[in-house]
Amino acid sequence: AEMARVLADSNHVPLHLDVYKRLSLLVHSVSIMHKSLDNMPKDENWQALTRNSTNLRVYIMAFDVKSDDMLRILKPSIPLERIHFDSYVTCVSGAVVDLISRQYDKFLTHFILMNDVIDMSTFPDLSDNRNEDPLVLLAWRCTRLSLLAVHGYTVWAHNLIAIARLRGSDLKVLEVTEESIEFDQGELADQ
């Protein structure tokens, strides 16, 4: 929060942001265990920072961060362009993916979701038995999405097709581990 306040201060020269205008943030479960999330920038800090640096875009890499902690970190005014989740222990929830697709639909271009599970027989399913899959909603809402990579999470084949159709040729990279793709029983009978 202090860094955001200093960078947003009108007495300072705005960040010089040209073609590469990205602020990269690393959030790790180990650092969260030793430091409070109370020091994270609040929404008003992000608003002030983006007022001074309108071209600012943010890249967040989150390693083994619990969904509850991510919900506290992801403020609406972050100009989030790229996010990379990587986990060995914790899994990202569908609620976090849904929040990202609603809050960052104007800027999000890259979404990477990796779960390095040992048991390859069961991957977490973000859809949580809901009618709407959060990844499909992400592809629908985030019109600038050009890269979607999913490894170690269940992706239903019909949802994968929906994602590809929604983004079309604007989606330059769609990367899903073969083991992550699941088929409905009806789909298997049709093949």
Side-chain angles (χ1 to χ4, degrees):
E2 184 60 28
M3 180 193 70
R5 276 192 293 279
V6 167
L7 291 174
D9 190 333
S10 60
N11 294 328
H12 290 84
V13 176
L15 294 172
H16 274 295
L17 303 168
D18 48 6
V19 176
Y20 298 100
K21 53 197 176 284
R22 226 171 274 120
L23 175 63
S24 297
L25 302 174
L26 173 64
V27 184
H28 198 290
S29 60
V30 174
S31 60
I32 292 173
M33 284 189 304
H34 299 293
K35 293 186 179 203
S36 169
L37 284 176
D38 296 336
N39 294 329
M40 291 297 296
K42 298 188 178 8
D43 200 49
E44 54 269 16
N45 301 126
W46 285 109
Q47 288 172 357
L49 185 54
T50 56
R51 238 186 336 269
N52 268 6
S53 303
T54 56
N55 292 333
L56 177 69
R57 297 298 177 265
V58 174
Y59 174 26
I60 295 178
M61 293 185 67
F63 292 98
D64 265 329
V65 179
K66 295 177 188 169
S67 290
D68 291 345
D69 291 334
M70 282 309 301
L71 292 171
R72 291 179 59 200
I73 292 167
L74 296 171
K75 303 299 181 200
S77 297
I78 297 174
L80 186 67
E81 181 183 52
R82 298 174 180 209
I83 191 155
H84 178 152
F85 291 104
D86 201 336
S87 61
Y88 292 94
V89 180
T90 62
C91 294
V92 173
S93 69
V96 169
V97 177
D98 188 54
L99 177 76
I100 289 168
S101 72
R102 282 186 284 112
Q103 285 188 172
Y104 310 114
D105 58 326
K106 290 179 182 69
F107 300 117
L108 193 71
T109 62
H110 290 64
F111 186 86
I112 300 170
L113 187 59
M114 299 181 71
N115 185 14
D116 303 316
V117 292
I118 296 170
D119 181 10
M120 299 284 279
S121 63
T122 58
F123 290 139
D125 187 352
L126 294 172
S127 62
D128 245 358
N129 298 324
R130 298 182 299 174
N131 290 334
E132 298 107 5
D133 184 282
L135 292 174
V136 173
L137 290 174
L138 181 92
W140 177 55
R141 291 175 180 147
C142 300
T143 57
R144 294 178 177 225
L145 191 67
S146 63
L147 183 144
L148 176 62
V150 181
H151 301 282
Y153 285 84
T154 297
V155 179
W156 293 92
H158 61 275
N159 288 335
L160 195 55
I161 293 167
I163 290 166
R165 285 183 177 160
L166 281 167
R167 291 287 36 97
S169 62
D170 292 336
L171 188 61
K172 304 297 182 209
V173 176
L174 176 58
E175 185 177 292
V176 180
T177 310
E178 182 179 354
E179 294 82 15
S180 293
I181 302 172
E182 287 288 336
F183 295 89
D184 288 329
Q185 291 304 316
E187 287 176 299
L188 286 174
D190 292 340
Q191 288 189 351

